Amino acid sequence: MAERIEKTLFAAADKMRGAMDAGEYKHVALGLLFLRYVSAAFEAKRAEFAKDEYIDLEDPEEYEAENIFWVPEKARWDRLAANAKANDIGVQVDDAMREIEKSNPSLQDALPKVFGRANLDRAIVTGLIEMFTNLELHGTKSDFDLIGRIYEYFIGEFASSEGKRGGEFYTPKSIVSVMVEMMEPTHGRVYDPCCGTGGFFVQSEKFIAAHQGRVDDIAVYGQERNHTTFRLARMNLAIRGIFGDLRWNQEGTLTRNAFPDERFDFILANPPFNISDWNGEALREDTRWRYGTPPTGNANFAWMSHIHHHLSANGIGGVVMANGSMSSMQSGEGDIRKAMVEQDAVDCMVALPGQLFFGTQIPACLWFLAKDKSNGTAAGGTLRDRRGEVLFIDARKMGALIAGSRKQKELSEDEIAKIATTYHAWRGEEAEGPYADEPGFCASVKVEEIAKHNYVLTPGRYVGAGAVEEDDEPFEEKFTRLRAELQGHFEEGRRLETEIEAWLGGLV
């Protein structure tokens, strides 16, 4: 039912935007959806408070104590809905956003104020307000879960509409799910150094809920360079009741590290691939480059070094990277990769199928980095000693086209589970049973073997060929069938050749 609501709402919202650019329109639609959420949550809590004669219904601190955003009277949804057709409704919405920010410091400069612009068709604002008003909410947890899913669905669909540009702020859900299922961030400190709209945090929260954990058991930290994307992330987390420490700076994480002295239990990241203008020359002596100084013309290994540097004693990091990172020998990248393997920084490599990203065919891979592969005994861990080994998983044959799409694929739940279960079993998690290599899919490889391949980390080099599918057709029957098919192709070729010659003869 929820999926139908999400699709129906997006189809209606997308129809309203007309010729408006999807990159601009997403801030309009998502901003109003957020406003609908905070008003519904506020009104539900207000109705609850009304039953207690000792509570002042107009005291913001009462709501703050319950982790509910205070919504000033002029910013409440009922008032905006009643004025939806007013000529100045856009200005009223902008004012509502400012009032909410003023009353809730955690939302300072997080909400869009774009509704009163002269070039924004008032009918769009009116239509969205009326549509979201029809979304019946009663303040229950399931209502807010639904709002969160709608928000996430909208972000994904807008990213798809924007194509390659959309991929800059949104990591496809199936990739996020693979990383979250493999890493299982159920506790401790979770960090994303290029957090986009906060998809990794949202999926972590879903994972915790699915395993009967508590969202309060994780602390969220993030950085984002694009300010409009940073706003979307803050709204995305706020809708789900996730209170994280997100930082913005236009210089970028590598240049201006917001958490220089912090260490994290889980780091999940999808940094921009192959960035050349990352200020590498000025950072050549940075302490993060434990495995060698990254080339100034490509930030891939700067990102991975940054992530490994910020792992806690038993931390694990998952990074989406361009495939070239697994084999490039340019500008010292091969030496950095060699040092990372020899010093046991690399835990697992996953080759992904193509067509998972919006608007680009570029294939990617996943790097899983570990601070300590010795079983984590210092922290009472239960994983086996994996030093001197790397797990390779080749998932390139997985995935299927998304319904209605000719260009984009996604991984199924079963495929995601297979990848994650393989990793867990290899690490020695008892619940997953014993690990075994599977030709064509996974292999546990010693460093000595990796050295023979010059420290190239492409899984296809190590997992071998898959098992040949069984064929019950007798050889004689198959030979006769294939010969008949070939003969038919020959005859069709001769027929076409005759037709072409006759056609050309008629032109003379």
Side-chain angles (χ1 to χ4, degrees):
M1 180 64 178
E3 186 178 0
R4 289 199 298 271
I5 292 174
E6 294 158 31
K7 288 184 176 180
T8 300
L9 280 177
F10 182 79
D14 197 43
K15 187 175 181 179
M16 287 181 204
R17 79 178 171 97
M20 188 176 182
D21 180 71
E24 296 180 41
Y25 183 65
K26 68 173 179 277
H27 300 290
V28 176
L30 293 172
L32 282 172
L33 182 61
F34 179 81
L35 198 57
R36 177 75 173 100
Y37 154 75
V38 293
S39 267
F42 170 80
E43 294 296 350
K45 184 58 65 175
R46 183 183 165 98
E48 181 184 318
F49 284 165
K51 300 174 184 177
D52 188 334
E53 60 180 305
Y54 297 104
I55 293 181
D56 180 359
L57 299 183
E58 297 301 317
D59 183 358
E61 293 183 1
E62 295 283 3
Y63 297 85
E64 183 181 354
E66 298 285 332
N67 289 328
I68 297 294
F69 293 112
W70 167 257
V71 182
E73 186 173 355
K74 68 181 296 186
R76 293 171 191 172
W77 188 264
D78 287 349
R79 182 177 181 276
L80 294 173
N83 295 330
K85 295 183 179 180
N87 290 330
D88 67 340
I89 184 59
V91 174
Q92 289 187 45
V93 174
D94 284 341
D95 289 343
M97 295 292 187
R98 294 188 182 92
E99 288 293 321
I100 290 174
E101 285 186 345
K102 190 186 304 181
S103 302
N104 301 276
S106 66
L107 292 176
Q108 187 63 42
D109 199 30
L111 308 184
K113 276 78 74 176
V114 298
F115 302 90
R117 294 181 309 180
N119 63 344
L120 177 58
D121 186 350
R122 179 172 59 85
I124 291 178
V125 181
T126 298
L128 286 171
I129 290 176
E130 291 177 343
M131 184 178 76
F132 290 142
T133 299
N134 291 331
L135 185 62
E136 190 174 350
L137 299 173
H138 304 286
T140 64
K141 184 181 184 303
S142 61
D143 282 343
F144 301 135
D145 287 343
L146 173 61
I147 288 287
R149 289 195 300 271
I150 293 171
Y151 191 94
E152 183 181 13
Y153 185 83
F154 272 41
I155 287 178
E157 290 300 305
F158 282 129
S160 180
S161 297
E162 291 185 70
K164 186 175 181 179
R165 187 156 54 101
E168 295 176 2
F169 66 84
Y170 183 80
T171 304
K173 186 178 178 181
S174 59
I175 295 178
V176 177
S177 295
V178 168
M179 297 173 70
V180 170
E181 291 290 336
M182 290 179 73
M183 297 171 65
E184 300 183 318
T186 57
H187 62 279
R189 294 151 65 86
V190 180
Y191 172 53
D192 185 344
C194 38
C195 66
T197 56
F200 283 121
F201 302 136
V202 169
Q203 286 297 110
S204 297
E205 183 235 14
K206 287 183 177 179
F207 180 86
I208 293 168
H211 292 76
Q212 288 78 51
R214 287 163 38 90
V215 177
D216 293 344
D217 289 339
I218 66 169
V220 166
Y221 300 81
Q223 264 188 273
E224 174 54 41
R225 184 173 187 171
N226 184 297
H227 194 262
T228 55
T229 302
F230 172 68
R231 286 175 166 173
L232 291 175
R234 291 176 66 188
M235 288 191 290
N236 199 9
L237 266 60
I239 277 178
R240 297 174 179 278
I242 301 174
F243 296 92
D245 185 353
L246 302 188
R247 310 278 183 92
W248 166 78
N249 72 74
Q250 59 187 356
E251 297 170 75
T253 298
L254 296 176
T255 299
R256 186 177 169 190
N257 190 3
F259 307 100
D261 302 318
E262 302 288 352
R263 298 296 180 269
F264 305 97
D265 302 297
F266 302 95
I267 302 179
L268 303 96
N270 176 20
F273 298 165
N274 306 319
I275 295 300
S276 59
D277 56 344
W278 65 280
N279 203 24
E281 190 61 44
L283 297 171
R284 294 191 68 79
E285 304 301 321
D286 199 287
T287 58
R288 290 171 290 180
W289 317 147
R290 173 180 174 180
Y291 301 106
T293 303
T296 57
N298 192 313
N300 288 348
F301 281 90
W303 281 111
M304 284 192 283
S305 297
H306 170 88
I307 288 165
H308 191 271
H309 173 80
H310 281 286
L311 291 174
S312 63
N314 291 287
I316 181 170
V319 194
V320 187
M321 267 289 147
N323 272 1
S325 64
M326 298 187 288
S327 58
S328 172
M329 296 294 178
Q330 296 179 351
S331 306
E333 289 184 333
D335 294 330
I336 299 175
R337 191 169 52 248
K338 174 183 177 181
M340 292 177 72
V341 172
E342 290 184 335
Q343 296 180 47
D344 276 315
V346 183
D347 205 32
C348 175
M349 299 293 302
V350 179
L352 295 170
Q355 297 177 261
L356 290 180
F357 290 88
F358 294 112
T360 177
Q361 300 295 316
I362 186 171
C365 61
L366 302 179
W367 289 65
F368 290 90
L369 310 176
K371 201 74 166 190
D372 181 7
K373 293 166 63 175
S374 68
N375 194 33
T377 50
T382 58
L383 304 180
R384 73 178 183 87
D385 189 337
R386 309 177 311 284
R387 287 176 293 182
E389 300 175 44
V390 175
L391 175 65
F392 291 92
I393 296 177
D394 191 345
R396 288 176 298 170
K397 294 180 181 179
M398 290 183 166
L401 289 173
I402 296 173
S405 173
R406 295 182 179 180
K407 295 182 179 179
Q408 193 179 357
K409 290 183 177 180
E410 65 180 356
L411 297 168
S412 70
E413 290 185 6
D414 288 344
E415 289 171 332
I416 292 170
K418 180 176 181 179
I419 295 170
T421 299
T422 299
Y423 181 52
H424 297 158
W426 177 79
R427 292 204 303 174
E429 298 177 37
E430 295 180 3
E432 304 300 344
Y435 166 82
D437 287 352
E438 180 181 325
F441 177 66
C442 64
S444 181
V445 183
K446 299 285 188 182
V447 170
E448 293 79 9
E449 179 65 22
I450 297 173
K452 293 178 183 177
H453 291 270
N454 204 18
Y455 298 92
V456 170
L457 300 182
T458 307
R461 289 198 175 210
Y462 303 99
V463 302
V468 177
E469 294 182 9
E470 291 187 12
D471 188 350
D472 295 331
E473 185 178 11
F475 173 77
E476 292 81 2
E477 293 181 13
K478 177 181 284 188
F479 181 80
T480 301
R481 176 176 59 80
L482 292 178
R483 185 172 63 179
E485 289 180 7
L486 183 61
Q487 187 65 33
H489 291 316
F490 285 155
E491 291 176 358
E492 179 66 10
R494 285 193 291 270
R495 184 185 68 77
L496 292 173
E497 186 178 346
T498 300
E499 282 189 11
I500 292 171
E501 286 180 350
W503 182 76
L504 289 174
L507 294 177
V508 178

